Amino acid sequence: MSLTTVGIALGRPGRISEATRNRVLAIADDLGYRPNRLVHGIQTGRSMAVGVLARVDSLFNGQMFTGAHDVLANADYAPIVMSTTTSLNELNRLHSLIDRRVDGILIVPFFEAMWDEHLNELISRDIPVVSLDVEVQGQANKIDFVGTDDEGAGCSAAEHLLHLGHRSALIVTSGTAQQPPFLRQQGFAQAFLDAGGVCQTITVPWISSQDVCRLVCEALDQPDSPSCIFMTTDLFGDRVYHAAGRLGLRIPEDLSVVGFSGDPVGKYLNPPLTTFHQDAFQIGRRGAEILVGRMSGRTEAKRIREKRRPELVERGSTGPAPARQATR
């Protein structure tokens, strides 16, 4: 049996009989043969590897990766995952993936680097890129995006509280321009102000900031204090609840609180936190589906931009505005 026949049976282009193919495959199985992906990549120009650049230290990003991984594995792609922390770190990781000849890249841009300066090289090399959760700005028309309708969800949070009669709100956020928390803040504030409400914002640099409790206490300890709080992430929840407790405010009788992201921590607050649930698994899954379509050439040229509206999960932390602020 010739090497050419064996090569065709194991996957190279060419025609041989089904009986010969089955015979070669049976012998290969007996010998424990495994295909050499490096050689296959040289022959086909495809590495069957996908780069994944993301911070994987959060539950949300972990769920996105799980959804993406399922799709990539089923399509026989191997993900190469690299975690990022800074703009320089992201650029180095990006070059590392290019050097490994990945067929495509999934990115979850880190908040400090919006990626515009990193994408030109990928675009010039025709490497498909799909951004998850955080939409890059300057190159938005050149790469695909799947994420959350953050601004629309912020508007929905405002509508929920306005329906309950609240007209004075406090936003607690950590976002800066064009990041998801910032977009949630913008959507909420615009809807609240359009309805004739009053809105103030507390911005802290990091979710873990110890200033949250103090700043919330200061905002609530005023004669005309807000009757509701919108947090752009559930991770502020324990500090906001603690601030309310220090001032003797009951949730939701004196103060309604709405979070965002559906983090499990909200279930264990007392009362459980009303929040917006993002389906991170499906975001990751859909992003990987689009990337696989790009890499295989099945997806049309027009860029895909999908924003999913998260689901409001009503629990015990929201209720009618207290009499001093209720709508008459």
Side-chain angles (χ1 to χ4, degrees):
M1 189 178 299
S2 70
L3 291 176
T4 299
T5 299
V6 172
I8 294 172
L10 294 177
R12 284 171 49 191
R15 295 176 60 87
I16 58 175
S17 70
E18 192 64 25
T20 301
R21 182 185 303 276
N22 290 338
R23 182 182 171 200
V24 172
L25 293 177
I27 294 172
D29 186 60
D30 289 340
L31 294 174
Y33 168 79
R34 298 293 303 158
N36 189 320
R37 286 294 187 187
L38 293 177
V39 174
H40 177 79
I42 293 172
Q43 293 172 339
T44 64
R46 299 177 64 191
S47 65
M48 299 305 291
V50 169
V52 180
L53 275 167
R55 297 189 70 187
V56 291
D57 57 353
S58 72
L59 176 63
F60 184 83
N61 283 357
Q63 290 174 337
M64 277 199 303
F65 173 70
T66 300
H69 179 273
D70 287 357
V71 172
L72 295 174
N74 287 336
D76 203 26
Y77 285 94
I80 301 175
V81 183
M82 292 190 173
S83 182
T84 57
T85 54
T86 67
S87 178
L88 178 61
N89 184 251
E90 287 179 334
L91 185 58
N92 290 338
R93 298 290 189 269
L94 185 63
H95 287 158
S96 181
L97 292 173
I98 292 173
D99 293 344
R100 285 164 174 78
R101 301 297 190 267
V102 294
D103 295 330
I105 293 180
L106 287 172
I107 62 172
V108 183
F110 185 53
F111 282 8
E112 273 74 12
M114 298 308 289
W115 278 86
D116 290 343
E117 69 272 26
H118 299 345
L119 293 175
N120 286 331
E121 187 170 359
L122 294 174
I123 293 169
S124 67
R125 293 172 179 266
D126 293 323
I127 299 175
V129 182
V130 177
S131 180
L132 302 177
D133 189 44
V134 180
E135 187 173 17
V136 294
Q137 301 304 307
Q139 306 291 353
N141 64 330
K142 297 180 181 179
I143 70 172
D144 300 305
F145 169 74
V146 181
T148 300
D149 182 2
D150 291 295
E151 191 167 357
C155 179
S156 295
E159 291 171 350
H160 173 65
L161 292 167
L162 288 165
H163 178 73
L164 292 171
H166 296 276
R167 292 298 181 269
S168 180
L170 173 66
I171 303 173
V172 183
T173 186
S174 63
T176 57
Q178 304 309 319
Q179 297 170 11
F182 176 83
L183 297 175
R184 297 164 198 163
Q185 168 196 336
Q186 290 289 95
F188 182 94
Q190 190 63 56
F192 217 81
L193 295 174
D194 286 347
V198 178
C199 196
Q200 59 179 298
T201 301
I202 291 174
T203 302
V204 293
W206 293 103
I207 290 172
S208 60
S209 172
Q210 297 302 311
D211 292 332
V212 174
C213 184
R214 176 180 60 81
L215 293 172
V216 171
C217 280
E218 291 175 359
L220 295 178
D221 193 20
Q222 302 294 328
D224 297 321
S225 64
S227 66
C228 63
I229 293 179
F230 172 56
M231 307 179 300
T232 58
T233 171
D234 290 352
L235 298 180
F236 287 129
D238 60 338
R239 274 146 288 175
V240 168
Y241 273 50
H242 183 66
R246 284 176 57 179
L247 296 174
L249 297 174
R250 299 165 300 164
I251 299 173
E253 291 84 358
D254 303 315
L255 180 70
S256 287
V257 183
V258 176
F260 197 98
S261 78
D263 193 279
V265 67
K267 296 180 181 179
Y268 303 106
L269 295 174
N270 184 23
L273 179 66
T274 293
T275 187
F276 282 84
H277 173 67
Q278 297 173 277
D279 196 337
F281 180 88
Q282 289 300 329
I283 290 174
R285 184 176 182 83
R286 177 58 180 149
E289 288 173 349
I290 293 172
L291 186 62
V292 169
R294 292 286 184 204
M295 293 185 296
S296 64
R298 296 194 305 268
T299 302
E300 62 182 17
K302 184 178 180 181
R303 293 298 138 182
I304 296 172
R305 185 171 178 262
E306 294 186 7
K307 291 190 173 184
R308 298 167 173 244
R309 183 69 70 94
E311 174 191 3
L312 175 65
V313 181
E314 293 189 54
R315 296 187 180 127
S317 67
T318 55
R324 61 186 172 84
Q325 289 193 7
T327 303
R328 289 181 171 84

